[in-house]
Amino acid sequence: MITATETKLPKIKTALPGPKAKEVIAYDAKYMSPSLTRDYPLVAERASGAIVEDADGNTFLDFAAGIAVCSTGHCHPKVVEAIQKQAAELIHIAGTDFYHRHMPEFAEKLVSTMPKSEKWKVFFGNSGTEAVEGAIKLARYHTKRDKLIAFYGCFHGRTLGSLSLTASKSTQRRNFGTLLGGVEHIPYPYAYRCALGHTKETCGGEIIELLEQQIFKRLFAPEEVAAIIVEPVQGEGGFIPAPLFFLQELQRICNKHGIMLILDEVQAGMGRTGKWWAYDHAGITPDIVLTAKGIASGMPVAAFIAKESVMNWKVGSHGTTYGGNPVCLAAATATFDLIEGGLMANAEKVGNYIFSKISDWPKRFKIVGDVRGKGLMIGVEIVRDQRTKERAPDLRDAVVDNAFHRGLLTLGSGENSIRISPPLIIDEEQADCAIRIMEESIREAEKAV
Ligand SMILES: Cc1ncc(COP(=O)(O)O)c(C=O)c1O
């Protein structure tokens, strides 16, 4: 088993939050922006592997991984060593203005994961939203078109360009005025709630028809569209995988009309679904792929990877001060090697194991409507009534909170789902522990129904 943990299972010793955690929370309230969305009062002090220790010495099993970021677990020794070594040699030089070997070295690794039928180029940034912004610019620059098509429920970031594509929660857009023009949103194929009763494999044909027969005929011609941007598995929106045929259809439409297909793999990518990229399951070749989060084990690295024929903008068209920072890329390189060296296979193996244990939850628990996902990206949808599928955000919050009090960290997703996105290092013993805690937490929440 691949793990950096010394302690593998959680232990809660104090009431939560404990006294020291309460102090930090009060301190935070004094100085920090109130816009941050804290689901429950975890005050992290240190972490190793899949275990997080709080300010009072309680330990938690981490099935959130800092929003699917700590793919190699917390403070993996190889990642720590790479960061420490690089920090002593070169911290910053500005890859926009000067050269350093870490940029092409890590870019070559990223390119090795892409379809071999094409040549690819890479641009590094610091966060998912920056990758999205860069991709919007590149798609517009390359196609000389400005219209963009995105999907309801998808999340692409919070800066003004990416926010224009994000259609997850209205609070994320509210009071920020007019966003980017030329953006149209269409429904995402959400099999559990498919109005036509289609399955996880077949849902979405009507959306393709909407795009071709309505949007392209009544709103703007396909020749005006720069890009279609989609999450192959919706992350923030509820851990909802798009059916594979749907992604294939998007590629067909994009190829037909010279539209850039941008796949936002910021949450789903880098091994989490058992393949490098979630789109690999569909066997398609996108024009631009976006990655961040799990790529560097918690150091800020993002990238957009585009076909060489697409990334043909002129010197000065796009740049960054910090993007491709040597220390961050050292962490990314170590992370990549670990994912390639076994964690991706582990994600598939332990993901399948978890599915085999929880796919019958809708039969066993009356408030579980759906269990879905791939690898270690698993969504559990909580409903008040399985027949009406009435969403139950309060019960979802109760399950997440109950789990926290039992020592398991998870996060909500979408209006009423729970995301299970542990580090890719977890083993079956840790999976069993998390499943037991989740089951107890669901049972407790069910008492309120
Ligand atoms: C799919 C996706 N795209 C983009 C982003 C934005 O990333 P960041 O928060 O690093 O800017 C996120 C963040 O959750 C995401 O899940």
Side-chain angles (χ1 to χ4, degrees):
M1 188 203 53
I2 312 132
T3 177
T5 57
E6 287 155 31
T7 318
K8 281 183 58 187
L9 299 175
K11 194 161 190 188
I12 304 301
K13 302 192 248 181
T14 70
L16 295 176
K20 289 192 182 142
K22 277 189 183 153
E23 274 174 32
V24 176
I25 291 167
Y27 191 21
D28 184 284
K30 205 166 162 196
Y31 293 106
M32 294 307 301
S33 162
S35 63
L36 303 174
T37 50
R38 275 74 174 261
D39 277 358
Y40 46 80
L42 171 77
V43 176
E45 190 67 29
R46 60 182 67 81
S48 173
I51 293 291
V52 176
E53 186 180 327
D54 80 354
D56 297 284
N58 298 300
T59 52
F60 299 84
L61 182 56
D62 188 1
F63 267 46
I67 329 184
V69 166
C70 301
S71 45
T72 59
H74 294 274
C75 304
H76 192 291
K78 290 210 164 127
V79 176
V80 172
E81 188 192 340
I83 293 170
Q84 286 174 336
K85 185 166 176 298
Q86 187 55 44
E89 285 173 4
L90 177 70
I91 293 180
H92 178 76
I93 190 70
T96 286
D97 288 328
F98 305 103
Y99 299 93
H100 62 88
R101 69 180 161 81
H102 303 280
M103 294 214 296
E105 263 176 28
F106 186 57
E108 185 179 12
K109 283 185 185 285
L110 286 179
V111 166
S112 74
T113 66
M114 302 296 293
K116 303 286 175 269
S117 54
E118 298 285 336
K119 287 189 170 162
W120 302 89
K121 289 230 160 152
V122 178
F123 186 99
F124 291 119
N126 308 284
S127 64
T129 198
E130 268 185 61
V132 175
E133 297 288 342
I136 296 172
K137 286 175 68 181
L138 180 61
R140 285 185 161 187
Y141 186 102
H142 176 71
T143 59
K144 301 188 175 56
R145 308 170 179 178
D146 72 336
K147 306 284 187 271
L148 300 161
I149 291 175
F151 290 83
Y152 288 117
C154 280
F155 183 90
H156 300 290
R158 295 172 180 273
T159 50
L160 288 175
S162 66
L163 186 61
S164 312
L165 303 174
T166 290
S168 181
K169 298 188 179 89
S170 58
T171 25
Q172 291 159 350
R173 296 165 66 107
R174 191 171 179 169
N175 288 337
F176 297 120
T178 310
L179 298 175
L180 212 58
V183 178
E184 194 61 38
H185 286 93
I186 58 175
Y188 188 87
Y190 189 171
Y192 176 62
R193 295 185 178 278
C194 180
L196 301 178
H198 286 303
T199 65
K200 289 178 185 181
E201 287 74 37
T202 59
C203 173
E206 73 286 4
I207 300 167
I208 297 295
E209 195 176 324
L210 170 81
L211 182 57
E212 294 192 293
Q213 300 304 324
Q214 305 292 337
I215 307 287
F216 286 168
K217 289 191 178 163
R218 300 181 199 285
L219 291 184
F220 27 75
E223 297 75 36
E224 290 183 280
V225 179
I228 297 176
I229 178 163
V230 66
E231 285 178 88
V233 182
Q234 265 189 6
E236 176 72 16
F239 273 31
I240 307 165
L244 302 183
F245 93 90
F246 187 79
L247 298 174
Q248 291 156 359
E249 278 293 278
L250 290 183
Q251 179 175 22
R252 176 188 63 76
I253 292 171
C254 286
N255 286 352
K256 182 171 169 195
H257 301 292
I259 298 170
M260 298 293 98
L261 178 58
I262 304 176
L263 294 182
D264 184 342
E265 293 263 0
V266 166
Q267 194 150 165
M270 290 304 279
R272 178 159 291 283
T273 66
K275 292 192 187 284
W276 278 115
W277 309 108
Y279 79 77
D280 284 334
H281 296 274
I284 57 171
T285 302
D287 297 289
I288 306 175
V289 172
L290 316 179
T291 180
K293 288 192 189 287
I295 185 176
S297 299
M299 295 296 276
V301 178
F304 55 99
I305 310 161
K307 286 179 181 166
E308 191 177 69
S309 57
V310 169
M311 199 180 276
N312 58 357
W313 43 15
K314 296 269 180 290
V315 170
S317 306
H318 198 53
T320 164
T321 298
Y322 292 113
N325 169 282
V327 180
C328 296
L329 290 193
T333 300
T335 301
F336 186 100
D337 291 345
L338 288 162
I339 294 175
E340 189 172 45
L343 296 186
M344 187 155 55
N346 193 57
E348 186 181 17
K349 184 178 130 230
V350 183
N352 287 341
Y353 177 76
I354 295 178
F355 264 109
S356 73
K357 300 265 168 170
I358 74 172
S359 55
D360 65 347
W361 275 359
K363 290 198 189 101
R364 285 163 49 211
F365 300 103
K366 61 184 179 193
I367 64 168
V368 176
D370 192 29
V371 175
R372 58 190 171 236
K374 281 194 180 87
L376 289 175
M377 187 168 190
I378 303 172
V380 179
E381 182 151 349
I382 304 293
V383 293
R384 196 164 310 284
D385 180 331
Q386 286 184 340
R387 194 183 52 82
T388 63
K389 301 188 179 178
E390 184 192 342
R391 297 175 195 265
D394 53 332
L395 296 178
R396 184 277 309 274
D397 292 349
V399 175
V400 169
D401 197 58
N402 294 343
F404 168 64
H405 282 88
R406 288 171 166 81
L408 179 70
L409 305 180
T410 58
L411 279 172
S413 175
E415 214 178 310
N416 58 313
S417 296
I418 300 167
R419 59 184 118 187
I420 297 181
S421 59
L424 311 187
I425 58 166
I426 60 150
D427 62 14
E428 289 180 4
E429 185 186 2
Q430 289 169 316
D432 283 336
C433 172
I435 291 167
R436 179 183 52 74
I437 293 178
M438 285 283 288
E439 291 185 348
E440 286 170 16
S441 303
I442 294 168
R443 220 168 277 126
E444 190 179 330
E446 262 184 356
K447 288 183 196 153
V449 182

